[in-house]
Amino acid sequence: MECAVCGGKAVFSAPALCEEHFCEHVELVVRETVERYGLFTRDDRVCVAASGGKDSSVALHVLQALGYRVEALAVDEGIAGYRESTLACLRSLCDERGIPLRVVSFAEEVGAPLDDLVKGRRPCSVCGVFRRSLLNKHAKGCDVLVTGHNLDDESQSVLMNLVKASGGRLRRGYLRSPSAEGFVPRVKPLARLSEREVLAYAFLQGLPSSSGVCPYARSSLRFRVRDVLDEYEAARPGMKRSLADAALRVSAPVASSFSACPVCGGPAAGGVCRACSLREELLGDAP
Ligand code: SF4
């Protein structure tokens, strides 16, 4: 197959591009997403929620290459046999590129590692509550918090929100979360790139990134939805992009109002925030 730009040997099929033009294409898509949707500017302090996986590693690499002021923030949830190796990849990437890195842990901040918190609950639900809370807390002072969601992740989220009849989430900001007092806005500069594109770019750039899969992932709704969408995409290519495009069309960042949690001072929808109430349920004491 030939590169659609220069006629050289294509390393990627859709779009058909050689290594040089494929990497340029990925960087252009990210730049256009940031600029077209007003995600952030070169003056902003850009915090990337990083894990050592391919998505956040590509986000760090591309945004730094495009001249943005990036720093990495990682959460060590305390998942034995998994998180240690992904964090090792992240440290290696940040050391190589001179990117500031901070790592915060459930053990220190919540009081116990995720492995000890699950207690028969759905691991991703517990993990998600504390992870979101810690990322927001430690990204304070930054202008935006980048997450590495790609197009596949976004199409999964659309279907999950439909399955859960969560129309509100569908309409809330897609590429940029709504503004709210106490929240660092979340932005998704990779959301217009497919998982295959992100994976291929990480490989071609030789980025140290982990391919490990969280041992709890299989129990999540997202994992099942991913399988269904992969099947549909194989039968009808372009379906994932159509789903993500539909979300983009109906989404609008609307302002939300929050009060300060009386326990931790973080943002809450009213009363004690979800992280503090869950911590109380699981560990029986407040921070
Ligand atoms: Fe946390 Fe679930 Fe992701 Fe594992 S798969 S890191 S438990 S959200």
Side-chain angles (χ1 to χ4, degrees):
M1 190 182 299
E2 291 182 355
C3 172
V5 177
C6 67
K9 185 170 184 286
V11 297
F12 200 80
S13 57
L17 293 169
C18 67
E19 180 170 345
E20 180 188 347
H21 290 117
F22 173 74
C23 291
E24 279 180 15
H25 153 78
V26 167
E27 289 155 18
L28 183 66
V29 170
V30 173
R31 183 163 65 77
E32 283 182 349
T33 304
V34 172
E35 292 177 357
R36 180 171 173 195
Y37 298 99
L39 302 190
F40 44 84
T41 70
R42 285 198 170 71
D43 294 330
D44 286 333
R45 196 174 150 197
V46 177
C47 180
V48 177
S51 64
K54 65 182 185 322
D55 300 300
S56 56
S57 296
V58 166
L60 281 167
H61 175 82
V62 173
L63 293 176
Q64 187 189 46
L66 292 174
Y68 293 103
R69 292 197 296 152
V70 291
E71 54 194 87
L73 172 61
V75 177
D76 179 355
E77 303 91 344
I79 303 171
Y82 168 63
R83 190 50 88 205
E84 301 91 339
S85 58
T86 74
L87 287 176
C89 286
L90 178 61
R91 287 196 178 91
S92 163
L93 177 77
C94 291
D95 283 353
E96 267 178 29
R97 317 287 154 115
I99 297 172
L101 166 66
R102 285 175 291 153
V103 181
V104 298
S105 71
F106 278 22
E108 283 181 14
E109 299 264 346
V110 180
L114 181 65
D115 288 340
D116 292 349
L117 293 170
V118 173
K119 296 178 179 169
R121 291 171 184 255
R122 283 181 296 165
C124 295
S125 302
V126 175
C127 182
V129 168
F130 292 128
R131 202 179 145 72
R132 276 191 297 277
S133 170
L134 291 185
L135 285 171
N136 188 65
K137 175 181 171 185
H138 291 278
K140 290 263 165 63
C142 295
D143 295 287
V144 288
L145 177 64
V146 165
T147 61
H149 293 90
N150 58 47
L151 188 82
D152 292 53
D153 298 323
E154 291 309 299
S155 64
Q156 291 155 17
S157 297
V158 173
L159 195 53
M160 286 164 66
N161 286 331
L162 288 172
V163 168
K164 293 193 272 190
S166 183
R169 284 196 190 170
L170 258 185
R171 284 191 297 279
R172 265 184 247 150
Y174 165 46
L175 295 170
R176 184 182 172 102
S177 67
S179 299
E181 181 71 28
F183 274 111
V184 180
R186 288 164 181 251
V187 293
K188 302 172 188 172
L190 303 191
R192 307 302 292 158
L193 290 168
S194 71
E195 184 168 14
R196 283 183 68 239
E197 287 174 306
V198 173
L199 195 58
Y201 183 86
F203 174 76
L204 293 170
Q205 293 289 340
L207 301 183
S209 65
S210 168
S211 56
V213 178
C214 174
Y216 296 122
R218 283 196 169 274
S219 64
S220 69
L221 172 61
R222 182 174 289 276
F223 203 83
R224 287 192 283 275
V225 165
R226 191 187 74 166
D227 284 349
V228 169
L229 285 179
D230 284 348
E231 209 176 298
Y232 285 165
E233 180 76 20
R236 190 176 166 186
M239 203 263 318
K240 289 180 185 175
R241 190 169 290 275
S242 299
L243 267 178
D245 285 351
L248 188 57
R249 278 196 292 278
V250 299
S251 77
V254 288
S256 307
S257 65
F258 289 90
S259 54
C261 168
V263 179
C264 70
V272 176
C273 74
R274 183 68 190 117
C276 286
S277 60
L278 182 59
R279 185 177 187 279
E280 168 74 28
E281 282 172 41
L282 296 170
L283 297 176
D285 63 338

